[in-house]
Amino acid sequence: MTPPRSASAPVAGKHAASPSLASDSPQRRSDVAAQLPQAGRVGRGTVAADGSSPTSASGVTAAGGSAEPAALRPLEADSTAARRCGLVAIVGRPNVGKSTLLNALVGQKISITSRKAQTTRHRITGIRTVGPAQFVFVDTPGFQMKHGTALHRTLNRTVLSSLSEVDAVLFVVEAGRFGLDDAKVLALLPPGKPALLIANKLDAVKRRNDLLPWLKSMQERHAFAEFVPMSAQKDADVQRLFDILAPYLPEGEWLHEEDALTDRSDRFLASEIVREKLFRLTGDELPYSCTVQIDKFEEEGNLRRIAATIIVERDAHKGMVVGQGGERLKRIGSEARQELEQLLGAKVFLELWVKVRSGWADDEAHLRSFGYE
């Protein structure tokens, strides 16, 4: 099954030489720029020996001047630049915007989103090639603070496994906020790997000056390689993140084709889209313990025939999904079909069924049969 590809992914290009991490001591990184930029990069500021005004890595000085350092020039297509390729984990507490960020970085929806926490359950790989750099992003489930079921334990194993394999980490928090759940995820970050603090949802912060003391407190919590206040919904912020992140990728050949967007199959994406519509249309009524299994995925020219089963734990949950007269299930199917047709670029015939599997979320065999790693 071929993963979806972008017909016209925007291409930036070359990044200049990477900044040295060896000299990035807490003392050298102790200053946050006095003037917070609208979005972009803040951090790794230094104070000169003579006490002159520090300059942040974003080029914003304490006096409010600006100077764009070479390491932050936008990536430009350059066939002479050395290729880079690396794995980048996106981690954070549940419902902090990790999947939204991944979709923005890839330029296409490959990870489902919902206001219901713990929506992401699998390790989703997103791929984006920008000039000589290929970014392989790994969107992980939010780390589960409750360990009561086999499902929770499986999701946490996925997070820890992902962190052990990557070259860099994007630690995502809501700008201006840091709670106990954030702290528990922060404690999992592996030593010796560059971690970038992504202060997401910057557009929701009304008083930007309030972020300065918060950024300083975050410097004290962890030796972050970069501080990046941004909004994942703003393309300019996303493009700037590529510029900041590129130097942390090791030099090497790409792992995927230039236009690849994910290594997940169409079959997998179909199950995720159905599950997203299920969560969105049931709201808080339906408990977390439900999943979607693809029973059939057939390609007939420009037609995709898909049959899927929604698995719930109780008969009462089945009634919530089906709805009065089957109306809710019909709507779940209709919205999923429309999005799948856009995603796959083909006509979709979708059949949905609902079955009860009591205790599936605490059964290792069931989890494996439903595709959980």
Side-chain angles (χ1 to χ4, degrees):
M1 206 70 64
T2 57
R5 299 179 180 273
S6 170
S8 58
V11 175
K14 176 183 176 184
H15 200 293
S18 71
S20 170
L21 291 179
S23 63
D24 189 25
S25 67
Q27 182 177 356
R28 288 178 60 83
R29 296 173 50 262
S30 62
D31 296 284
V32 175
Q35 179 177 338
L36 185 68
Q38 290 297 308
R41 180 182 188 170
V42 177
R44 305 217 306 162
T46 61
V47 180
D50 61 1
S52 59
S53 297
T55 301
S56 78
S58 62
V60 179
T61 67
S66 64
E68 186 74 356
L72 274 186
R73 285 197 300 267
L75 296 167
E76 300 169 355
D78 187 345
S79 59
T80 64
R83 285 190 171 189
R84 292 179 179 271
C85 183
L87 274 64
V88 182
I90 303 175
V91 301
R93 62 174 171 79
N95 216 26
V96 77
K98 300 183 299 295
S99 295
T100 299
L101 177 60
L102 174 64
N103 292 335
L105 288 165
V106 172
Q108 178 174 306
K109 181 175 180 177
I110 62 169
S111 187
I112 66 174
T113 61
S114 167
R115 66 182 180 86
K116 184 187 286 285
Q118 305 174 341
T119 300
T120 300
R121 291 188 183 165
H122 301 270
R123 187 170 84 162
I124 310 294
T125 300
I127 305 159
R128 183 69 176 274
T129 303
V130 184
Q134 185 171 89
F135 304 82
V136 183
F137 295 104
V138 181
D139 180 22
T140 62
F143 193 78
Q144 310 299 304
M145 302 309 162
K146 298 178 181 179
H147 308 287
T149 69
L151 176 59
H152 289 139
R153 294 191 293 273
T154 297
L155 299 186
N156 284 349
R157 284 199 300 269
T158 300
V159 176
L160 295 174
S161 173
S162 299
L163 285 172
S164 68
E165 300 168 355
V166 298
D167 300 294
V169 178
L170 302 183
F171 176 61
V172 185
V173 296
E174 291 186 35
R177 294 183 56 186
F178 188 85
L180 179 60
D181 288 352
D182 298 297
K184 289 180 178 179
V185 180
L186 180 62
L188 300 175
L189 299 189
K193 292 187 179 180
L196 286 68
L197 176 69
I198 307 300
N200 195 26
K201 305 182 182 180
L202 180 64
D203 50 334
V205 177
K206 303 303 181 184
R207 293 167 54 90
R208 297 293 171 86
N209 286 340
D210 292 345
L211 278 185
L212 292 173
W214 177 80
L215 283 171
K216 290 180 180 179
S217 72
M218 294 304 295
Q219 282 184 313
E220 297 169 357
R221 295 180 186 276
H222 187 85
F224 289 106
E226 306 281 355
F227 301 86
V228 190
M230 64 174 292
S231 170
Q233 297 181 342
K234 293 186 177 181
D235 184 64
D237 291 4
V238 173
Q239 296 305 315
R240 188 164 181 80
L241 179 55
F242 282 123
D243 297 337
I244 295 169
L245 181 57
Y248 296 99
L249 303 185
E251 291 188 5
E253 290 303 310
W254 298 340
L255 298 175
H256 303 276
E257 296 294 327
E258 184 173 1
D259 59 350
L261 297 181
T262 182
D263 64 352
R264 288 293 193 173
S265 67
D266 291 349
R267 185 186 187 100
F268 173 82
L269 294 175
S271 70
E272 290 289 275
I273 293 299
V274 172
R275 193 161 62 87
E276 177 188 61
K277 304 311 175 189
L278 172 67
F279 282 155
R280 285 184 180 273
L281 293 174
T282 57
D284 295 328
E285 287 184 58
L286 189 68
Y288 176 60
S289 54
C290 59
T291 193
V292 175
Q293 183 177 34
I294 299 297
D295 305 309
K296 179 178 72 175
F297 191 106
E298 298 176 349
E299 299 183 29
E300 300 176 7
N302 198 44
L303 174 66
R304 304 291 182 270
R305 294 186 181 275
I306 305 172
T309 300
I310 297 171
I311 309 293
V312 297
E313 285 204 308
R314 299 179 182 176
D315 287 328
H317 301 164
K318 181 176 180 179
M320 295 175 191
V321 174
V322 174
Q324 187 173 5
E327 286 303 314
R328 179 173 284 168
L329 184 61
K330 290 178 183 176
R331 187 176 173 191
I332 292 170
S334 176
E335 293 195 9
R337 177 186 57 78
Q338 292 176 45
E339 184 156 336
L340 283 168
E341 287 183 339
Q342 286 187 328
L343 181 67
L344 303 176
K347 187 171 180 60
V348 172
F349 179 77
L350 177 63
E351 293 180 284
L352 291 181
W353 307 87
V354 184
K355 293 183 180 180
V356 178
R357 293 285 185 271
S358 180
W360 75 266
D362 203 21
D363 186 305
E364 296 281 359
H366 270 139
L367 289 172
R368 286 192 296 271
S369 71
F370 295 152
Y372 290 93
E373 301 169 357

